[in-house]
Amino acid sequence: MLIDSHCHLDFPGLAERLPEVLGVMQDNGVGLALCIGVNLEDFPQVLALAERDPRLYATVGVHPEYSDAEEPTVERLVELAAHPRVVAIGETGLDYYWQKDKPEWQRQRFRNHIAAARRCGKPLVVHSRDSADDVLRLLREEGADAVGGVMHCFTEDWEIARVALDLGFYLSFSGIVTFKNATIVKDVATRCPLDRILVETDSPYLAPAPFRGKANQPAYVRYVAEEIARLRGLTAAEVARATSDNFFSLFRHAQRPATS
């Protein structure tokens, strides 16, 4: 079984054809998918997906690109994360590519998420773009190693990867690892300990090489796993087994399907 550790099934392009998307997901051996919250306004839709289908779990958080969203207090995040289908806090982090003018606001929001994760004992799903040094600094300062988490859609070099791994974080690889010019990502995917790797799609974004430029979906996580297997000289089944085991080790509140 494969697991898509990061997708947005409530987004346009996927939400309106969810039965088809879940069917294709199942046909490609993807048994579970984690639906990522990006703001509190749309969190009820994300949670509803996880409540309706046992193959789906949810996270709660406010993405750093959503500058006009409701600000999440620590108390509110903890309250929403108490739901049994919510397995992590996030998507959270820092983005200095799209939000160059509000670094302090972003950093305080990120600190709130880390505090909430520590309080509720659930891991973090971390977004980092042009901000890796500050992301790692805040994780360290706020004691994020107590709960751990995942650096989603990892695209940094091995030096950044080593620091994240030392903090107890997992690295998640997306369709970017299949791109021919993604030499840095391929290097890290080769060197990262196998027991600290997750695979994801970030659907509907970042479709892997066979579908690049088209809408992504959870079924395509198999192409990410196959590329990692190729890079490491493993079988796709070995990568599927390892990354699924890693998912349940990190997201401790997720239940392993009886058939896996």
Side-chain angles (χ1 to χ4, degrees):
M1 180 182 71
L2 278 161
I3 298 175
D4 183 356
S5 67
H6 194 112
C7 60
H8 301 281
L9 298 185
D10 62 312
F11 280 21
L14 294 174
E16 63 270 24
R17 57 187 189 95
L18 191 61
E20 172 201 343
V21 168
L22 293 176
V24 176
M25 180 180 98
Q26 196 77 34
D27 292 343
N28 281 268
V30 183
L32 290 178
L34 183 55
C35 301
I36 304 298
V38 295
N39 60 55
L40 299 187
E41 290 85 347
D42 295 328
F43 173 70
Q45 292 93 291
V46 177
L47 181 59
L49 294 172
E51 289 178 321
R52 286 197 302 264
D53 196 307
R55 294 169 293 182
L56 304 178
Y57 282 96
T59 73
V60 60
V62 183
H63 191 290
E65 287 182 23
Y66 286 72
S67 58
D68 297 328
E70 176 186 342
E71 275 306 318
T73 64
V74 175
E75 293 73 20
R76 182 66 171 146
L77 288 169
V78 171
E79 174 192 355
L80 295 174
H83 193 287
R85 301 299 294 178
V86 176
V87 298
I89 298 290
E91 183 174 350
T92 182
L94 302 174
D95 192 312
Y96 295 166
Y97 181 84
W98 292 111
Q99 298 288 346
K100 295 180 176 67
D101 59 333
K102 298 181 179 179
E104 281 304 328
W105 155 80
Q106 283 195 64
R107 289 193 279 266
Q108 185 55 52
R109 179 186 276 185
F110 189 23
R111 291 181 193 274
N112 286 351
H113 282 78
I114 300 170
R118 294 191 60 184
R119 190 176 299 182
C120 70
K122 293 185 177 180
L124 290 152
V125 175
V126 177
H127 170 100
S128 174
R129 189 167 186 187
D130 291 356
S131 58
D133 289 341
D134 275 0
V135 163
L136 294 172
R137 176 176 61 83
L138 292 184
L139 289 173
R140 190 181 300 108
E141 288 178 359
E142 299 299 320
D145 56 325
V147 290
V150 56
M151 305 297 288
H152 131 76
C153 192
F154 193 80
T155 56
E156 304 290 343
D157 63 20
W158 178 241
E159 291 307 308
I160 296 295
R162 278 198 310 124
V163 177
L165 292 167
D166 287 346
L167 283 169
F169 275 68
Y170 290 67
L171 307 183
S172 182
F173 296 94
S174 70
I176 292 174
V177 77
T178 70
F179 299 171
K180 288 183 178 180
N181 62 348
T183 54
I184 291 174
V185 179
K186 291 178 189 289
D187 174 64
V188 175
T190 305
R191 299 170 70 175
C192 181
L194 186 60
D195 63 358
R196 301 288 285 282
I197 290 177
L198 297 178
V199 289
E200 65 169 90
T201 60
D202 202 14
S203 301
Y205 310 115
L206 301 177
F211 307 98
R212 192 170 181 181
K214 300 179 180 178
N216 205 356
Q217 58 178 307
Y220 296 166
V221 79
R222 58 172 285 202
Y223 296 95
V224 179
E226 288 170 359
E227 176 63 10
I228 292 173
R230 186 190 70 79
L231 290 167
R232 300 178 70 102
L234 301 172
T235 66
E238 287 173 317
V239 172
R241 183 164 52 249
T243 55
S244 293
D245 287 346
N246 297 344
F247 180 92
F248 293 111
S249 293
L250 176 61
F251 300 110
R252 298 173 295 278
H253 292 81
Q255 300 297 310
R256 190 184 292 268
T259 56
S260 69

